[in-house]
Amino acid sequence: MGAYKYIQELYRKKQSDVMRFLLRVRCWQYRQLSSLHRASRPSRPDKARRLGYRAKQGYVVYRIRIRRGGRKKPVPKGATYGKPVHHGVNQMKHQRTLQSVAEVMVK
C-alpha cells in the first residue's frame, strides 16, 4: 500500500486514535493562525492530487476561515414591507457559495 493510499485509508477512519489526535492538534493549530494564510503544502496531499494539485512551481495553497451559515436580512425589527412572499428575514440563503467567497478573499 502506497503512501497516498495509506493516507486515504486513515481519513476514512476518522474515529481512530491517530486521526482523532491529528484532527484535534490541527484544529488547535489552525485557530492560532490568521484567518487567511498561505500554506506551504496541502494538509491532505492525496486529496489535493486527486483534485489536480501538483507539487511544482505555480501551484499555491491558501487556507482561509470564513463565517459559515445562512444570512439574516438586515431589516429593522424584522419589518419588511411589501407582499408576504418577501417577508422572510431569518432563513435567507447566500447567492454565492462559500467557496467563491473564499476565492475572492484570497485574490
Side-chain angles (χ1 to χ4, degrees):
M1 186 161 59
Y4 292 121
K5 190 73 174 171
Y6 179 75
I7 295 173
Q8 188 177 353
E9 291 298 322
L10 269 179
Y11 268 93
R12 283 201 182 131
K13 302 185 178 93
K14 291 186 173 60
Q15 289 294 315
S16 68
D17 290 341
V18 175
M19 277 310 294
R20 285 173 66 173
F21 176 76
L22 187 66
L23 293 174
R24 189 171 70 238
V25 169
R26 276 195 184 153
C27 184
W28 176 85
Q29 195 176 14
Y30 294 159
R31 278 202 311 266
Q32 309 311 310
L33 298 169
S34 64
S35 64
L36 169 67
H37 70 278
R38 183 172 171 183
S40 58
R41 64 190 69 215
S43 52
R44 287 191 62 178
D46 61 321
K47 180 83 168 189
R49 280 179 63 88
R50 273 184 278 145
L51 294 174
Y53 171 82
R54 293 290 176 260
K56 60 182 188 179
Q57 281 187 330
Y59 285 88
V60 291
V61 178
Y62 277 87
R63 199 171 289 119
I64 185 165
R65 188 184 315 140
I66 57 174
R67 294 272 175 121
R68 304 256 326 258
R71 146 178 205 280
K72 187 173 180 185
K73 190 184 285 185
V75 290
K77 297 183 183 174
T80 58
Y81 301 105
K83 302 211 177 270
V85 70
H86 299 296
H87 278 203
V89 174
N90 285 326
Q91 296 183 2
M92 310 307 291
K93 311 294 185 274
H94 288 286
Q95 293 300 309
R96 288 173 44 213
T97 62
L98 295 178
Q99 180 178 349
S100 72
V101 171
E103 287 171 355
V104 168
M105 288 173 73
V106 167
K107 289 180 183 175

